[in-house]
């Protein structure tokens, strides 16, 4: 089985960000500390690949990125997905650092809304 990890350039990815046939997946391990992400990206935990990958069709286009320019986490996840039968997986060349340093499209992360009711002793509206 050929498990060659294909790359996608920052320019190629920027051109396809609005394409609904592509899902951009943020695999950064320091997700909680991050304030921005690639536009329209979804965060997935690289440790829970089996749990989140089940929601994607194996032919759906996925573009993965992580924090490091060496793409270590993204490549590991891409190889695993390829082993599981995914056919259209790409890794962002240079990862988040290259994307951000090139001033490519980003958006603020949204935070989960606080509960609307009082949790006694913890928080109030």
């Amino acid at each position: 089985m050929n498990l060659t990890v294909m790359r996608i350039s920052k320019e190629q990815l920027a051109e396809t960000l609005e394409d609904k046939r592509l899902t951009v997946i943020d695999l950064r391990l320091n997700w909680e500390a991050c304030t921005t992400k690639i536009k329209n990206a979804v965060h997935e935990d690289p440790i829970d690949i089996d749990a989140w990958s089940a929601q994607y069709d194996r032919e759906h286009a996925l573009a993965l990125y992580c924090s490091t320019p060496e793409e270590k986490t993204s490549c590991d996840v891409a190889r695993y997905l390829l082993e599981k039968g995914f056919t259209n997986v790409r890794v962002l060349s240079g990862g988040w650092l290259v994307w951000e340093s090139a001033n490519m499209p980003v958006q603020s992360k949204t935070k989960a809304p606080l509960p609307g009711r009082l949790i006694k002793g913890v928080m109030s509206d």
Side-chain angles (χ1 to χ4, degrees):
M1 178 182 282
N2 181 5
L3 296 179
T4 302
V5 175
M6 303 300 290
R7 300 299 198 282
I8 185 169
S9 72
K10 62 186 180 299
E11 295 84 6
Q12 290 169 319
L13 183 56
E15 290 173 7
T16 59
L17 283 179
E18 302 300 327
D19 189 337
K20 300 296 183 202
R21 297 170 295 175
L22 170 74
T23 300
V24 180
I25 299 180
D26 184 330
L27 296 168
R28 290 179 291 173
L29 298 173
N30 60 340
W31 174 252
E32 294 303 323
C34 301
T35 58
T36 58
K37 63 179 185 166
I38 291 178
K39 186 178 178 191
N40 300 329
V42 296
H43 179 258
E44 300 290 4
D45 186 337
I47 309 251
D48 283 334
I49 302 170
D50 288 326
W52 60 260
S53 66
Q55 69 182 316
Y56 297 102
D57 183 288
R58 291 190 173 160
E59 294 176 11
H60 184 76
L62 302 175
L64 313 177
Y65 72 96
C66 60
S67 297
T68 66
E70 297 84 23
E71 308 142 7
K72 170 84 171 101
T73 301
S74 297
C75 286
D76 289 348
V77 170
R79 281 188 197 94
Y80 185 83
L81 292 171
L82 291 168
E83 287 174 2
K84 295 296 182 182
F86 283 78
T87 60
N88 196 356
V89 179
R90 302 272 189 274
V91 168
L92 175 61
S93 294
W96 170 253
L97 294 178
V98 167
W99 183 270
E100 184 180 41
S101 67
N103 294 315
M104 301 305 271
V106 298
Q107 71 186 100
S108 295
K109 283 178 25 187
T110 55
K111 298 189 184 222
L114 294 173
R117 60 184 164 79
L118 176 66
I119 301 174
K120 191 170 184 166
V122 178
M123 66 176 61
S124 62
D125 290 331

